Amino acid sequence: MSESNTRIAIYPGTFDPITNGHLDIIMRAAPLFDRVIVTLALNSDKDPLFSVEERMEMMRRTVKDFPHVEAAKFSGLAVDFAHREKANVIIRGLRAVSDFEFEFQMALMNRKQRPEIDTVYLMPDERYTYLSSSIVKEVARHGGNAEAFVPPFVLDLMREKYGK
Amino acid sequence: MSESNTRIAIYPGTFDPITNGHLDIIMRAAPLFDRVIVTLALNSDKDPLFSVEERMEMMRRTVKDFPHVEAAKFSGLAVDFAHREKANVIIRGLRAVSDFEFEFQMALMNRKQRPEIDTVYLMPDERYTYLSSSIVKEVARHGGNAEAFVPPFVLDLMREKYGK
Amino acid sequence: MSESNTRIAIYPGTFDPITNGHLDIIMRAAPLFDRVIVTLALNSDKDPLFSVEERMEMMRRTVKDFPHVEAAKFSGLAVDFAHREKANVIIRGLRAVSDFEFEFQMALMNRKQRPEIDTVYLMPDERYTYLSSSIVKEVARHGGNAEAFVPPFVLDLMREKYGK
Amino acid sequence: MSESNTRIAIYPGTFDPITNGHLDIIMRAAPLFDRVIVTLALNSDKDPLFSVEERMEMMRRTVKDFPHVEAAKFSGLAVDFAHREKANVIIRGLRAVSDFEFEFQMALMNRKQRPEIDTVYLMPDERYTYLSSSIVKEVARHGGNAEAFVPPFVLDLMREKYGK
Amino acid sequence: MSESNTRIAIYPGTFDPITNGHLDIIMRAAPLFDRVIVTLALNSDKDPLFSVEERMEMMRRTVKDFPHVEAAKFSGLAVDFAHREKANVIIRGLRAVSDFEFEFQMALMNRKQRPEIDTVYLMPDERYTYLSSSIVKEVARHGGNAEAFVPPFVLDLMREKYGK
Amino acid sequence: MSESNTRIAIYPGTFDPITNGHLDIIMRAAPLFDRVIVTLALNSDKDPLFSVEERMEMMRRTVKDFPHVEAAKFSGLAVDFAHREKANVIIRGLRAVSDFEFEFQMALMNRKQRPEIDTVYLMPDERYTYLSSSIVKEVARHGGNAEAFVPPFVLDLMREKYGK
């Protein structure tokens, strides 16, 4: 690829809520691409804590200081969203062994769909190696301290939700 | 990073010999960076089958059709080589679970050395998920067929080495 | 066991739907046994996409060209079904690490039930290492291309289900 | 810590039902601490087979011959329960790879909450390496033999539940 | 395969020494095949404790009561030995996660060599899940008790070697 | 165990060199036992960087501020050393998946030797999850910065060794 080409990446997830682990990946991805689209996967079957609009708002606040990073949402397959946005890369954070297996499965399936779009894995800071949105919610729900794991405004929103 | 910035990646390894798995990673990395340096780590303690010069020659032949990819060698730490080459990325192919653990270890250590250089993982084609230079040599050494796993000229060189 | 003995294997699963990964295991198992019974586990708690009758029909079509392979269904424990069918082997496809742990658990539990029936693991082609019925449905549901992963008639049935 | 100090551990779980694997861990933990509290986590979202009272009763019967071990229940975070009980340790049984990942995640989160309480892992006898409450219920539900996996009175209670 | 066909399996290894884990796999494999060849891989680079002749003798004593099981040795690739013996199966015992990765690698490489020969995995008794020849030697070397892990005559031979 | 009983633990390793990961485990173990013996395993086949005396000195300096922790060395099996010291526990740090498999193997073998001595696992701080003596030496050997991974006096000793 010549230097004049534009490299665009999407970073899909459910972001329920966005955590410092996600933010860490975004910080690592930002300098590697000309444009990074942090994008909410709408088609998850799971029952989220935060509404689509709440999650979009959190994503927007999280990325607002990164000039080439934006928030979006999509339904359907991530590769199809990537294609529509002319992205050549899907970014995934890689945390632990169980992740790895699922990531391989997804990446291979995505390649069958659109071979021109590849998956790139980034490793979060070791502080976030074992962090997930689920465990953050579990802690917050029981009045525990999730301060080290999410941006301050997410912490406030979780406290509101759980009335703590 | 603005579009005018140059993104440079190194892809370090022992390449003893270079395999189709390595080639697959190079093909995936090439469009993501302005310059990719496939680079031979000289400081391995292992006793290689091919000399440094033989391996450099294989690497050069493998990358010669990729306009922005070149072959090099280094001793010392990969991050220090990356720094000298003004690279911002270390590329690693990610194959299987055991890899994954070691890769985490290396990536975290590299980050402590130079936080501005990050590691990016690419996943090879599923045909190469379980491929390694060691197993290729094991097969070739016993007169097996390694045709599907290395470029043709590497196959010839291995046959010469093993007299088969 | 003398050569006059008959070796019978069951291959249990939920087959929702049957995939090329399952077919690959059946092809590998067929020459190893005198009779292979591909058998639908009815007691799963999961809410399947395809009805029992639809899945049985898919299984029958998939095995119809293998002279010693047949389709069946059972409720209860797989070892008890194996016992009733005078089978000495339970076949399992082995895909990835997470599989492996669960398979060990199942195999040990089955042995406690009927020590004379053992579990035999076969490895699918590397193209199917990371394939599962779930991911195939995920792709089909969003209008993606699942052609490489299921027999053609399964593809048609999935398209009908999802109206795509 | 001087010899006069008291070492207290909690062993939290859902115990639905308590198995010989749990009992094995309790036997290993008992001599290591001055007091061990086997404690039922009430906040699980899962739909249990046994009621809280039934599980508490099973736990009490299981620990009654261990002089320094008692049964309890808690809601909220395990670390907060530990704190209230002046415990310095959370005991966890370590079975297999998937466990391991989740355990790391939990342990790190617990440390952020209360750094003075640490997690200690014990390994069950190899007979219980792949044992879980879920697989025991699966077997019992289908009339299989779970005798080797749970205390006799738990076996009776499961048979009542499943009418077998 | 019709019932008149003969099913032959090889079980390759370094057997330095043969352990109860190997014996357990042999007992499981014996009823599944018309002939099982337990076969010593000569080409290992490792420096063995027991000579080829000593290991062959141990293997012969171990299999002597199994009518269809014999001991052999080979150099070169296991698939080529299987081919010469008209075997259709390579048997492998499957112990733990690290094994699994290596086994996949070997199985895929073997398939490329001779697609008509497949690898079949058997799981040892849980008592042997974590047993290996290396750890048995480590224990014996330091005067520990390896009685539960090897046949009695192997125990004697190890004691002689280590002078204990 | 009544409160008057003494709980003694050994923490065996090769400590070549001792790292902050080891120190972290020692800090966690100290309050759990009345006496902790950090002990050098002399029988490793590996060629160490530091002599036995150098390693003992590093261990002594590392533990000198912990009143109930001391340094020792042993040859033979760790369980036999534990028995001689009247210890009831072997402490192990648990880092990552590959560790885990080996640890299980060791723990089961140790139990066969002396069932009254059990293994207790502690998890290091997440900063040390992927730290090992080997990778620390690799970095130091190439003039990298190992400051975050070892006590200052170990850093000095490594620099001397490598002349950097």
Side-chain angles (χ1 to χ4, degrees):
Chain A
M1 174 180 277
S2 82
E3 293 179 36
S4 62
N5 282 352
T6 303
R7 293 177 191 101
I8 301 173
I10 68 166
Y11 178 32
T14 47
F15 304 109
D16 184 44
I18 201 162
T19 69
N20 287 344
H22 297 126
L23 174 56
D24 183 273
I25 294 294
I26 292 166
M27 285 169 59
R28 294 176 189 285
L32 301 178
F33 300 95
D34 299 304
R35 197 177 152 217
V36 174
I37 308 169
V38 181
T39 185
L40 182 58
L42 293 175
N43 40 261
S44 171
D45 297 328
K46 298 177 228 157
D47 189 31
L49 175 64
F50 292 100
S51 71
V52 168
E53 204 32 63
E54 286 170 324
R55 285 183 279 161
M56 285 298 296
E57 181 54 27
M58 286 187 227
M59 289 157 62
R60 271 185 226 110
R61 287 188 62 171
T62 303
V63 307
K64 75 176 186 322
D65 295 331
F66 297 90
H68 303 288
V69 183
E70 67 209 77
K73 64 186 183 220
F74 72 101
S75 59
L77 295 175
V79 273
D80 290 337
F81 176 76
H83 176 76
R84 287 194 302 270
E85 297 290 328
K86 299 188 180 11
N88 12 35
V89 164
I90 297 173
I91 294 165
R92 300 294 293 168
L94 204 53
R95 285 174 309 182
V97 168
S98 45
D99 258 28
F100 178 69
E101 297 292 338
F102 179 71
E103 290 299 332
F104 250 51
Q105 207 178 43
M106 281 307 302
L108 290 175
M109 193 54 86
N110 283 335
R111 273 186 194 163
K112 296 288 177 200
Q113 305 301 316
R114 299 195 180 272
E116 75 281 9
I117 297 172
D118 215 343
T119 305
V120 157
Y121 302 97
L122 299 173
M123 207 184 77
D125 189 278
E126 71 256 44
R127 286 173 297 165
Y128 308 129
T129 300
Y130 293 96
L131 180 60
S132 71
S133 292
S134 306
I135 206 161
V136 163
K137 283 182 283 188
E138 178 78 6
V139 164
R141 188 157 70 94
H142 296 109
N145 178 4
E147 202 175 289
F149 305 118
V150 292
F153 66 89
V154 172
L155 199 63
D156 293 343
L157 287 167
M158 281 203 297
R159 279 175 182 151
E160 264 175 53
K161 284 277 172 196
Y162 290 122
K164 301 201 176 181
Chain B
M1 174 179 279
S2 81
E3 293 179 35
S4 62
N5 281 353
T6 303
R7 294 178 190 100
I8 301 175
I10 68 165
Y11 177 33
T14 46
F15 304 109
D16 184 44
I18 200 162
T19 68
N20 287 344
H22 297 126
L23 175 55
D24 184 272
I25 294 294
I26 293 167
M27 285 169 58
R28 294 176 189 285
L32 301 178
F33 301 95
D34 299 306
R35 197 175 151 219
V36 174
I37 308 169
V38 180
T39 184
L40 183 58
L42 293 175
N43 40 262
S44 169
D45 299 328
K46 300 176 226 158
D47 189 31
L49 175 65
F50 292 100
S51 71
V52 168
E53 205 31 66
E54 287 170 323
R55 285 182 281 161
M56 286 298 295
E57 180 56 25
M58 286 187 228
M59 288 157 63
R60 271 184 226 110
R61 287 188 63 171
T62 303
V63 307
K64 75 175 185 324
D65 297 330
F66 295 89
H68 303 288
V69 183
E70 68 209 75
K73 64 187 184 219
F74 72 102
S75 59
L77 295 176
V79 274
D80 289 337
F81 176 76
H83 175 75
R84 288 194 300 272
E85 296 291 328
K86 301 186 180 11
N88 12 35
V89 164
I90 299 174
I91 295 166
R92 301 293 293 169
L94 203 54
R95 285 175 310 183
V97 167
S98 45
D99 258 27
F100 178 69
E101 296 293 337
F102 179 71
E103 289 299 333
F104 252 51
Q105 206 176 45
M106 281 305 304
L108 290 174
M109 194 52 89
N110 284 334
R111 273 186 195 162
K112 297 288 178 203
Q113 305 302 315
R114 298 192 181 272
E116 75 281 9
I117 298 173
D118 214 343
T119 305
V120 157
Y121 302 97
L122 299 173
M123 204 186 78
D125 190 277
E126 71 255 45
R127 285 172 297 164
Y128 308 130
T129 300
Y130 292 96
L131 180 60
S132 71
S133 292
S134 306
I135 206 161
V136 161
K137 283 183 280 189
E138 178 78 7
V139 164
R141 187 158 69 95
H142 296 110
N145 178 5
E147 203 175 289
F149 305 117
V150 292
F153 68 90
V154 173
L155 199 63
D156 292 344
L157 286 167
M158 281 203 299
R159 279 175 182 149
E160 266 175 51
K161 284 277 173 197
Y162 290 122
K164 300 202 177 180
Chain C
M1 175 179 277
S2 82
E3 293 181 36
S4 63
N5 281 354
T6 303
R7 291 176 192 104
I8 302 175
I10 67 164
Y11 177 32
T14 46
F15 303 110
D16 185 44
I18 202 162
T19 68
N20 287 344
H22 297 127
L23 175 55
D24 184 273
I25 294 294
I26 293 167
M27 286 169 58
R28 294 177 188 284
L32 300 178
F33 300 95
D34 300 305
R35 198 175 150 217
V36 174
I37 308 170
V38 181
T39 185
L40 182 58
L42 293 176
N43 39 263
S44 169
D45 297 328
K46 299 176 229 159
D47 188 31
L49 175 65
F50 292 101
S51 71
V52 169
E53 205 31 65
E54 286 170 325
R55 284 183 281 161
M56 285 298 295
E57 181 55 26
M58 285 187 228
M59 289 157 62
R60 272 185 226 111
R61 287 188 63 171
T62 302
V63 307
K64 75 176 185 322
D65 296 330
F66 296 89
H68 303 289
V69 183
E70 68 210 75
K73 64 186 182 222
F74 72 102
S75 58
L77 294 176
V79 273
D80 290 337
F81 176 76
H83 176 74
R84 287 193 303 270
E85 297 290 328
K86 300 185 178 13
N88 11 37
V89 164
I90 298 174
I91 295 165
R92 300 293 294 169
L94 205 52
R95 286 175 310 184
V97 167
S98 46
D99 257 28
F100 179 69
E101 296 292 338
F102 179 72
E103 290 298 333
F104 250 51
Q105 206 178 43
M106 280 306 305
L108 290 175
M109 194 51 88
N110 284 334
R111 272 185 195 165
K112 295 289 178 201
Q113 304 301 316
R114 299 191 179 273
E116 74 282 9
I117 298 173
D118 214 344
T119 304
V120 157
Y121 301 97
L122 300 173
M123 205 186 78
D125 190 277
E126 72 256 44
R127 285 172 298 164
Y128 307 129
T129 299
Y130 293 96
L131 180 60
S132 72
S133 292
S134 306
I135 206 162
V136 162
K137 283 183 282 189
E138 178 78 5
V139 164
R141 188 157 69 96
H142 297 111
N145 179 4
E147 204 175 289
F149 305 117
V150 291
F153 67 90
V154 173
L155 198 63
D156 292 344
L157 287 167
M158 280 202 299
R159 279 175 181 152
E160 265 175 51
K161 284 279 173 197
Y162 290 121
K164 301 204 176 179
Chain D
M1 175 178 278
S2 81
E3 293 180 36
S4 63
N5 281 353
T6 303
R7 292 177 192 103
I8 302 174
I10 68 165
Y11 177 32
T14 47
F15 303 110
D16 185 43
I18 201 162
T19 69
N20 287 343
H22 297 126
L23 175 55
D24 184 272
I25 294 294
I26 292 166
M27 287 169 57
R28 295 176 189 285
L32 301 178
F33 300 94
D34 300 305
R35 196 176 153 219
V36 174
I37 309 169
V38 180
T39 185
L40 182 57
L42 292 175
N43 41 261
S44 170
D45 298 327
K46 300 178 226 156
D47 188 31
L49 175 64
F50 292 101
S51 71
V52 168
E53 205 32 65
E54 285 170 325
R55 285 182 280 161
M56 285 299 295
E57 180 56 26
M58 287 187 226
M59 289 157 62
R60 271 185 226 110
R61 289 188 62 171
T62 302
V63 306
K64 76 176 184 324
D65 297 330
F66 296 89
H68 304 289
V69 183
E70 67 209 77
K73 65 187 183 220
F74 72 102
S75 59
L77 294 176
V79 273
D80 290 337
F81 176 76
H83 176 76
R84 287 194 301 271
E85 297 290 329
K86 299 188 181 11
N88 13 35
V89 163
I90 298 174
I91 294 165
R92 300 294 293 169
L94 204 52
R95 286 175 310 183
V97 167
S98 44
D99 259 27
F100 178 70
E101 297 293 336
F102 179 72
E103 290 299 333
F104 251 51
Q105 206 176 45
M106 280 307 303
L108 291 174
M109 194 54 87
N110 283 334
R111 273 185 194 163
K112 296 288 176 200
Q113 305 301 316
R114 297 193 181 273
E116 75 281 10
I117 298 172
D118 214 344
T119 305
V120 158
Y121 301 97
L122 299 173
M123 205 186 77
D125 190 277
E126 70 256 44
R127 286 173 297 165
Y128 308 128
T129 301
Y130 292 96
L131 180 60
S132 71
S133 292
S134 306
I135 206 162
V136 163
K137 283 183 282 187
E138 178 78 6
V139 164
R141 187 157 70 95
H142 297 110
N145 179 4
E147 205 174 287
F149 305 117
V150 291
F153 67 90
V154 172
L155 199 62
D156 292 344
L157 286 168
M158 280 203 298
R159 279 176 181 150
E160 264 174 52
K161 284 277 173 197
Y162 290 123
K164 304 203 174 179
Chain E
M1 174 179 276
S2 82
E3 294 180 35
S4 62
N5 281 354
T6 303
R7 294 179 190 100
I8 301 173
I10 68 166
Y11 177 33
T14 46
F15 304 109
D16 184 44
I18 200 162
T19 69
N20 287 344
H22 297 126
L23 175 54
D24 183 272
I25 294 293
I26 293 167
M27 285 169 59
R28 295 176 188 285
L32 301 178
F33 300 95
D34 300 305
R35 199 176 151 216
V36 173
I37 309 168
V38 180
T39 186
L40 182 57
L42 293 175
N43 38 263
S44 170
D45 299 327
K46 298 176 229 157
D47 189 30
L49 175 65
F50 293 100
S51 72
V52 168
E53 205 31 65
E54 286 170 323
R55 285 182 281 161
M56 286 298 295
E57 181 55 26
M58 286 186 228
M59 289 157 62
R60 272 186 224 109
R61 287 188 62 172
T62 302
V63 307
K64 76 174 185 326
D65 295 330
F66 296 89
H68 304 288
V69 183
E70 67 209 77
K73 64 184 183 223
F74 72 101
S75 60
L77 295 176
V79 275
D80 290 337
F81 175 76
H83 176 75
R84 288 195 301 271
E85 297 290 328
K86 299 186 180 11
N88 13 36
V89 163
I90 298 173
I91 294 165
R92 301 293 293 168
L94 203 54
R95 286 175 311 183
V97 168
S98 45
D99 258 27
F100 178 70
E101 298 292 339
F102 179 71
E103 290 299 331
F104 251 51
Q105 206 176 45
M106 280 306 303
L108 291 175
M109 194 52 89
N110 283 335
R111 272 185 195 163
K112 297 288 179 202
Q113 304 302 314
R114 298 192 181 272
E116 75 282 8
I117 297 173
D118 214 343
T119 304
V120 157
Y121 301 96
L122 299 173
M123 205 186 78
D125 190 278
E126 70 257 44
R127 287 172 295 165
Y128 308 129
T129 300
Y130 292 96
L131 180 61
S132 72
S133 292
S134 306
I135 205 162
V136 162
K137 282 183 283 189
E138 179 77 6
V139 165
R141 189 157 68 96
H142 296 110
N145 178 4
E147 205 176 287
F149 306 118
V150 292
F153 67 89
V154 172
L155 199 63
D156 292 345
L157 287 168
M158 281 202 300
R159 279 176 182 149
E160 266 175 50
K161 285 277 173 198
Y162 290 122
K164 303 207 174 177
Chain F
M1 173 179 279
S2 81
E3 292 179 37
S4 63
N5 282 352
T6 303
R7 295 179 189 99
I8 301 174
I10 68 165
Y11 177 34
T14 46
F15 304 109
D16 184 43
I18 201 162
T19 68
N20 287 343
H22 296 127
L23 175 55
D24 183 272
I25 294 293
I26 292 166
M27 286 169 58
R28 294 176 189 285
L32 301 178
F33 300 95
D34 299 305
R35 197 176 151 219
V36 174
I37 309 168
V38 181
T39 185
L40 183 58
L42 293 175
N43 39 263
S44 171
D45 298 327
K46 298 176 229 157
D47 188 30
L49 175 65
F50 292 100
S51 72
V52 168
E53 206 31 65
E54 286 170 324
R55 284 182 281 161
M56 285 298 295
E57 180 55 25
M58 286 187 229
M59 288 157 62
R60 270 184 228 111
R61 288 188 62 172
T62 303
V63 307
K64 76 175 184 325
D65 297 330
F66 296 89
H68 303 288
V69 183
E70 67 210 76
K73 65 186 182 218
F74 72 102
S75 58
L77 295 176
V79 275
D80 290 337
F81 175 76
H83 175 75
R84 288 194 302 270
E85 297 290 328
K86 300 188 180 9
N88 13 34
V89 163
I90 299 173
I91 294 166
R92 301 292 293 169
L94 204 54
R95 286 173 311 182
V97 168
S98 45
D99 257 27
F100 178 69
E101 297 293 337
F102 179 72
E103 289 300 331
F104 251 51
Q105 206 177 44
M106 281 307 302
L108 290 174
M109 193 54 87
N110 283 335
R111 274 186 194 163
K112 297 288 177 200
Q113 305 302 314
R114 299 194 180 271
E116 75 280 10
I117 298 172
D118 214 344
T119 305
V120 157
Y121 301 96
L122 299 173
M123 205 185 78
D125 189 277
E126 71 255 44
R127 284 171 299 164
Y128 307 129
T129 299
Y130 293 96
L131 180 60
S132 71
S133 291
S134 306
I135 206 161
V136 162
K137 283 183 280 188
E138 178 78 5
V139 164
R141 188 157 69 95
H142 296 109
N145 178 5
E147 204 175 286
F149 306 117
V150 292
F153 67 89
V154 173
L155 199 63
D156 292 344
L157 287 167
M158 282 202 298
R159 279 176 182 149
E160 265 175 52
K161 284 277 173 197
Y162 291 122
K164 301 202 178 183

